[in-house]
Amino acid sequence: MPERIAALRARAAAAAAAAGRNADSVTLLAVSKGQPAQLIRAAAAEGLRDIGESYLAEALGKMEALRDLPLTWHFIGRLQANKTRQVAEHFAWVHGVDRLKIAERLAAQRPYHAPALNVCIQVNLAGEASKGGVPAAEAPDLAAAVASLPRLALRGLMCIPPEEADPGRQRAWFAGLRQLRDTLNAGGMSLDTLSMGMSGDFEGAIREGATIVRIGTALFGPRGS
Ligand SMILES: *Cc1c(COP(=O)(O)O)cnc(C)c1O
């Protein structure tokens, strides 16, 4: 694990340098779905603090087991309306907001003593039916509506683009998300986050401006079931 983390950090730093960016402008989000709590503890010992989980019940169990650690928990899975309360209560970030109804519930259910819940709007750039996310054309209206909600901090955009064999084509999807963020910022928003890039494509995502890369298998190895 220490070697893997060091290697990932070196690759991320090299990609950032190639884009003229500081290495510390990219957060390595450790995606631990399907992995036991001890592995998260080992990653935390190497300085990783941001942890991504996709399944609520699984995540809550690990939070309980790791409550002695100063971790920042990110919900990166598909969020159903009946799960929003516990997500609003237990997570610091939600990456996959793609419906106003979900955002409204999160805003209403975020505890008053907690800081604002950080959210990203998921954009489905390729219109893939199998994936969540709002079509790019609808992202501006959703972003404006979410930004106006109390208790939430709209931080930026997230995507899971199609897998492309050609790295240049892969990067084009990430560039598309960055351009959408730039358009929204030109229109008066101040979005500082692009959550994009996973184990197989994070370097291209960093080259295109990713500020959070979500890394699972390259960090923890294959997932159990
Ligand atoms: C599982 C998952 C990841 C991590 O995928 P790897 O290919 O294992 O790095 C990233 N983002 C989301 C939304 C995921 O569900």
Side-chain angles (χ1 to χ4, degrees):
M1 170 91 58
E3 298 76 21
R4 272 197 196 156
I5 293 175
L8 279 170
R9 283 190 170 127
R11 286 171 60 191
R21 305 177 56 200
N22 279 329
D24 62 10
S25 67
V26 182
T27 297
L28 248 171
L29 174 58
V31 174
S32 49
K33 65 181 178 212
Q35 305 288 1
Q38 312 86 271
L39 279 190
I40 303 176
R41 189 173 288 283
E46 299 303 316
L48 294 181
R49 290 282 176 270
D50 289 273
I51 309 298
E53 289 279 345
S54 302
Y55 306 104
L56 178 61
E58 179 189 340
L60 294 177
K62 293 179 203 173
M63 286 177 184
E64 186 59 31
L66 300 169
R67 46 190 303 177
D68 57 306
L69 297 178
L71 301 176
T72 299
W73 294 89
H74 299 239
F75 190 82
I76 63 170
R78 283 190 102 159
L79 184 48
Q80 293 148 353
N82 65 350
K83 304 268 172 63
T84 53
R85 179 175 298 280
Q86 283 183 299
V87 169
E89 287 175 356
H90 293 282
F91 285 81
W93 285 74
V94 178
H95 288 233
V97 170
D98 61 2
R99 285 183 288 155
L100 183 57
K101 178 187 169 194
I102 293 289
E104 287 172 340
R105 292 177 64 92
L106 290 169
Q109 294 166 343
R110 181 68 167 172
Y112 276 93
H113 57 79
L117 178 64
N118 298 295
V119 300
C120 293
I121 288 175
Q122 183 176 352
V123 184
N124 192 332
L125 294 165
E128 293 172 282
S130 62
K131 291 178 184 168
V134 67
E138 294 169 26
D141 284 350
L142 180 60
V146 171
S148 75
L149 293 171
R151 317 292 308 130
L152 302 185
L154 177 61
R155 297 294 299 273
L157 305 177
M158 178 269 210
C159 71
I160 311 172
E163 269 182 53
E164 303 279 5
D166 173 51
R169 287 177 61 103
Q170 194 69 57
R171 272 181 66 171
W173 291 115
F174 297 132
L177 196 71
R178 169 171 45 77
Q179 284 154 12
L180 185 55
R181 190 270 318 264
D182 292 346
T183 300
L184 293 174
N185 283 350
M189 305 203 117
S190 42
L191 306 180
D192 62 11
T193 299
L194 287 173
S195 169
M196 58 187 195
M198 317 199 324
S199 290
D201 57 15
F202 70 92
E203 287 152 308
I206 291 171
R207 295 284 291 263
E208 296 298 343
T211 63
I212 299 180
V213 290
R214 309 180 308 267
I215 312 286
T217 46
L219 176 59
F220 294 116
R223 285 182 271 277
S225 52

